[in-house]
Amino acid sequence: MDSSTKKIGLYFGTFNPIHVGHLIIANHMVEFSDLDEVWFVVTPHNPHKKKKTLLEDHHRLAMVRIAVEEYPKLKASNVEFDLPQPNYTVNTLAYLEEKYPKKNFCLIMGEDNLKSFPKWKNYEVILERYSIYVYPRISEGTVETQFDNHKKIKKVDAPIIELSSTFIRNGIKSGKNIRPMLSAEVWKYLDEMNFYK
């Protein structure tokens, strides 16, 4: 592999809002695996689903940009904003590969997602063409045996973070102080905009 080829881990999510758990996982992936960068791929609002709790795309992207500002190896990506909806990961991967032929893209997912991975559109294609970096999550169910010791699946021993954006949104709504769960700048943005109240 050409030494200018960067290995990029793609961390997909709505990041509604991005919290310290997301940053801990992404930073762990980039510091303790062979990934050169991690891109937070902000999932756009699905126009067919009216989710009142989901902030506008540009606000969620703005918070991710603010959160990663001091981490040179972490980036915010709005690549999915311009792709036709509903969008599938397999299409995003193909698009990114075409747009950045010199980069080597991989997927980052929690163990909970690996359990439902066979339900993903064209999951066999994803597995054939891309490496998947899996971080531990406490969740129900089991990972299919076909994924045990799979050459494309790398388990990264990251800290187990039991923190969810839903918990944070509910906390804000009920007037709790959830500041330690967000980076200071993201908290400031949320607070000034009166989000989730």
Side-chain angles (χ1 to χ4, degrees), residues 6-113:
K6 275 195 162 171
K7 209 169 197 188
I8 313 289
L10 300 172
Y11 190 4
F12 288 81
T14 51
F15 303 114
N16 183 38
I18 183 168
H19 54 65
V20 292
H22 297 129
L23 291 171
I24 290 168
I25 298 284
N27 189 65
H28 190 94
M29 288 291 186
V30 89
E31 295 296 339
F32 298 94
S33 76
D34 59 352
L35 295 175
D36 297 302
E37 287 179 2
V38 169
W39 292 8
F40 285 91
V41 181
V42 182
T43 310
H45 190 285
N46 180 338
H48 307 294
K49 283 188 189 156
K50 269 280 164 257
K51 254 194 116 181
K52 285 193 178 66
T53 55
L54 193 58
L55 288 186
E56 296 280 342
D57 298 347
H58 66 275
H59 285 307
R60 289 180 292 115
L61 179 68
M63 287 191 286
V64 173
R65 285 195 171 131
I66 291 167
V68 302
E69 223 163 78
E70 291 169 27
Y71 300 89
K73 296 177 190 171
L74 306 182
K75 313 268 182 239
S77 169
N78 61 353
V79 59
E80 291 203 321
F81 290 15
D82 302 321
L83 296 177
Q85 291 291 324
N87 185 40
Y88 297 100
T89 304
V90 68
N91 302 348
T92 305
L93 287 162
Y95 173 82
L96 283 168
E97 220 175 21
E98 209 170 284
K99 193 172 174 184
Y100 303 102
K102 272 195 158 340
K103 297 192 191 304
N104 173 10
F105 291 101
C106 315
L107 265 182
I108 291 175
M109 66 169 71
E111 207 172 354
D112 49 338
N113 279 320

Side-chain angles (χ1 to χ4, degrees), residues 166-185:
T166 310
F167 179 83
I168 290 169
R169 290 195 306 273
N170 292 340
I172 293 172
K173 201 173 174 179
S174 54
K176 305 286 184 209
N177 180 359
I178 49 80
R179 283 174 74 166
M181 300 174 194
L182 304 167
S183 67
E185 294 306 312

Side-chain angles (χ1 to χ4, degrees), residues 117-157:
F117 188 53
K119 296 192 179 88
W120 289 30
K121 185 179 169 74
N122 300 351
Y123 87 95
E124 302 95 337
V125 176
I126 295 175
L127 207 46
E128 195 180 299
R129 303 196 50 190
Y130 305 94
S131 294
I132 299 178
Y133 287 67
V134 178
Y135 59 89
R137 286 294 294 267
I138 295 169
S139 60
E140 297 291 309
T142 50
V143 172
E144 289 206 9
T145 49
Q146 59 165 320
F147 300 143
D148 289 345
N149 307 315
H150 194 289
K151 65 182 193 308
K152 288 292 185 104
I153 296 175
K154 300 175 193 296
K155 293 205 168 172
V156 180
D157 192 18

